[in-house]
Amino acid sequence: MTPESAPVSAAHSGLRVSTPDDLTILIERRFAAPRERVWDAMTRPELVRAWLSGPPGWSMTECTDPLEVGGRFRCVWTSTAGASMAMTGVYRELSRPERIVRTESFEFGCDAQTGEQLCTLELVERDRGTDLRLTIRYDSREARDGSLASGMEKGIGFAYEQLDDLLARSVEALV
């Protein structure tokens, strides 16, 4: 294993973040729920708002997500202090319930996070659970490293813990 492919950290429950090459961040996590439920929680705006709220003191105030190839999504977070951040992008590929390929751009953040990333989400059902694999490809190593330095791992870890809580609720909560 080369230093580039070594895990960046495993600070959160089951979260693995690694850098397999100069332009890529790979995020892996297991969820104790069927793949269809994980897919729904990650693609239905009312469910996305429930778990992708941002760090403490932030909330998702907008989530528009036309789940179709060529569809443009937009998520906006606002802090109690009045700061805001938006993520936008376009779907390039959708294969329910196993794969999403889309672009992502942030409208606020550190300079190193500017630009567009290509994100590929893969969900694999295995042993009564779902393995998530999220590959984020950046335009430059500087952008990738800037994203890592921003604390993205902590934010993703927090969000995925919230997703765990949502998935643990009754099936009715996901309808």
Side-chain angles (χ1 to χ4, degrees), residues 37 167-175:
R37 288 182 68 193
L167 292 168
R169 295 182 201 154
S170 68
V171 175
E172 293 79 31
L174 296 178
V175 175

Side-chain angles (χ1 to χ4, degrees), residues 2-154:
T2 66
E4 278 300 307
S5 64
V8 174
S9 176
H12 296 278
S13 174
L15 182 69
R16 179 180 159 91
V17 178
S18 60
T19 53
D21 62 48
D22 285 352
L23 301 178
T24 306
I25 295 174
L26 174 61
I27 298 164
E28 298 171 290
R29 177 94 156 44
R30 181 164 179 77
F31 294 96
R35 180 169 64 176
E36 286 280 345
R37 288 182 68 193
V38 176
W39 174 275
D40 285 345
M42 298 190 97
T43 58
R44 292 176 45 193
E46 70 276 15
L47 299 176
V48 171
R49 282 182 182 214
W51 67 268
L52 193 56
S53 59
W58 287 76
S59 62
M60 184 178 285
T61 54
E62 179 185 335
C63 184
T64 55
D65 199 345
L67 195 61
E68 60 189 29
V69 173
R72 287 189 141 312
F73 70 90
R74 179 176 172 82
C75 298
V76 178
W77 293 266
T78 305
S79 75
T80 53
S84 66
M85 175 180 78
M87 178 177 63
T88 60
V90 176
Y91 286 101
R92 292 189 175 175
E93 180 184 332
L94 291 163
S95 181
R96 181 183 177 89
E98 66 261 356
R99 184 175 163 92
I100 297 173
V101 179
R102 70 184 195 182
T103 61
E104 290 183 358
S105 297
F106 289 89
E107 295 177 7
F108 174 79
C110 67
D111 291 338
Q113 284 185 286
T114 60
E116 184 176 83
Q117 298 85 48
L118 182 64
C119 300
T120 302
L121 172 72
E122 297 170 295
L123 301 174
V124 176
E125 195 162 51
R126 185 174 293 130
D127 301 326
R128 295 184 292 181
T130 301
D131 293 337
L132 173 143
R133 182 179 171 98
L134 176 61
T135 305
I136 308 169
R137 184 138 178 102
Y138 294 83
D139 289 335
S140 69
R141 183 178 184 151
E142 293 75 24
R144 183 207 66 179
D145 291 351
S147 189
L148 287 169
S150 75
M152 77 172 294
E153 178 191 348
K154 185 176 180 181

